[in-house]
Amino acid sequence: MRWAGLPVALSAAILAGCATTRPVTSSIGNFPDPFVLPDAGGYYAYATNGDGKNLPTLHSSDLQSWRALPDAMPSLAGWVRKEVPHVWAPEVIKLGERYVLYYTAHDLASDRQCVGAAVSNSPAGPFVDKASKPLICQAELGGTIDASPFLEGGRLYLYFKSDGNCCNQPTHIFVQELQPDGLAVTGQPTRLLTNGRSWEGKVIEAPTMVQRGGKYTLFYSANDFGNGTYAVGYASCAGPVGPCQPAGDSPFLKSRAERNLYGPGHQVVFRVGEQDFIAYHAWELKADGTRAERRFLYIDKLDWVDGKPVVKGTTLVR
């Protein structure tokens, strides 16, 4: 079903009423670690590097029909390794008239994955990072990845993961306040979560902070991204800097054979009007049910029931 050409408000209302969605980028191809930014009546989606692009970018007017845009960050910062730069997990926030991109790339100095910030006057880029070193790089903890901004009460925060699983260390999710322009940190990072619950395996990552009805919910992904154990859970937090308490010992968004959903994760939550949506990737499956090599973008309706997130769409149990 295509809704191209419909007014955004109308197409969003139609999507909100759907019980089931499908991968929205299967016709475009691989689109891992997605982030969706509503802007100017449309939607921009960004993904981990691929197909010769540092920052693959899509645009849609209705969340269903997407078109590929040019590489939104064609040039890399001086601190990034140029051979196999591993530009991962982009997220974008509009601050004033500028757009700030937070991304992960391989730092030459530390030989770790670290987080940088780049700026553009357009959500389509080009984003430019003029810094001589990463914004955050916890080299002693294995590096830093999966940065996610959150603006609350005029204060800007950045959530991120220490990449300890690269080096047989625990993984942690941190938060640190940013300067108003989003290009420098202030104070010290606060640790919010550490992997340890059975469903998480050795990894927690991809933090997303959401405030609804005065309550703070920290979404995160966990376990092995390469197989069906990868899933999404959440923690309830007292505020933007915690403390946070994980909800139980099971994910709320996970693989479901009856839905051909395999390894969903690296989520982002965004709002259209009064309706929340959750975007994430999941693996393409072959005809025999085994995992293929591409991860597609999914977008589902996200509701709140008694303060708890409930995905309505591909993973809906009937």
Side-chain angles (χ1 to χ4, degrees):
M1 182 181 296
R2 293 174 61 90
W3 300 319
L6 290 176
V8 173
L10 178 58
S11 60
I14 294 172
L15 182 58
C18 286
T20 302
T21 57
R22 292 287 181 264
V24 298
T25 59
S26 57
S27 62
I28 291 175
N30 195 41
F31 206 76
D33 304 330
F35 179 80
V36 176
L37 175 73
D39 185 83
Y43 307 91
Y44 291 84
Y46 311 87
T48 278
N49 60 253
D51 296 327
K53 297 178 180 179
N54 295 319
L55 184 56
T57 305
L58 307 175
H59 184 264
S60 175
S61 61
D62 57 13
L63 294 178
Q64 285 289 306
S65 299
W66 296 85
R67 62 183 179 90
L69 300 179
D71 190 342
M73 190 168 60
S75 299
L76 298 173
W79 60 267
V80 177
R81 180 181 66 185
K82 300 305 182 290
E83 295 295 325
V84 195
H86 286 323
V87 181
W88 298 346
E91 297 205 11
V92 176
I93 187 171
K94 187 177 184 181
L95 299 174
E97 296 303 313
R98 300 194 306 175
Y99 297 82
V100 180
L101 161 74
Y102 298 98
Y103 68 99
T104 301
H106 200 87
D107 175 40
L108 281 167
S110 66
D111 198 28
R112 301 292 192 196
Q113 290 291 102
C114 301
V115 166
V119 175
S120 175
N121 291 323
S122 165
F127 286 91
V128 177
D129 182 354
K130 296 181 179 180
S132 60
K133 62 180 182 180
L135 175 67
I136 301 173
C137 190
Q138 300 162 300
E140 72 285 0
L141 298 180
T144 306
I145 70 172
D146 292 356
S148 180
F150 176 67
L151 184 62
E152 168 75 359
R155 301 176 73 172
L156 184 61
Y157 303 89
L158 194 67
Y159 298 81
F160 47 90
K161 169 223 176 179
S162 62
D163 203 27
N165 54 293
C166 79
C167 328
N168 295 314
Q169 297 186 47
T171 56
H172 312 284
I173 289 177
F174 291 88
V175 61
Q176 189 165 5
E177 192 166 354
L178 292 164
Q179 297 285 356
D181 66 0
L183 301 180
V185 294
T186 182
Q188 297 297 316
T190 298
R191 190 172 71 185
L192 299 177
L193 296 175
T194 299
N195 68 291
R197 285 145 294 278
S198 60
W199 75 271
E200 296 168 353
K202 297 181 179 180
V203 180
I204 56 172
E205 60 187 14
T208 302
M209 178 61 82
V210 174
Q211 189 268 105
R212 297 289 183 266
K215 296 182 178 180
Y216 296 83
T217 301
L218 180 65
F219 295 85
Y220 64 96
S221 297
N223 221 310
D224 186 345
F225 84 96
N227 64 38
T229 65
Y230 202 54
V232 180
Y234 70 95
S236 297
C237 302
V241 297
C244 298
Q245 179 61 45
D249 190 28
S250 62
F252 80 99
L253 174 60
K254 60 185 179 180
S255 297
R256 301 198 70 89
E258 70 273 20
R259 297 290 177 180
N260 292 323
L261 190 73
Y262 190 80
H266 206 102
Q267 75 299 318
V268 62
V269 176
F270 63 97
R271 177 161 276 199
V272 179
E274 295 301 313
Q275 178 63 56
D276 280 321
F277 291 87
I278 185 169
Y280 56 93
H281 70 231
W283 287 99
E284 178 185 20
L285 293 177
K286 299 177 183 178
D288 62 3
T290 59
R291 201 204 85 180
E293 296 303 314
R294 298 186 297 178
R295 285 171 284 174
F296 295 147
L297 168 65
Y298 286 70
I299 299 176
D300 290 341
K301 181 180 175 183
L302 180 71
D303 286 344
W304 300 84
V305 180
D306 297 327
K308 300 176 181 180
V310 178
V311 176
K312 298 289 184 70
T314 312
T315 57
L316 179 63
V317 179
R318 297 181 187 178

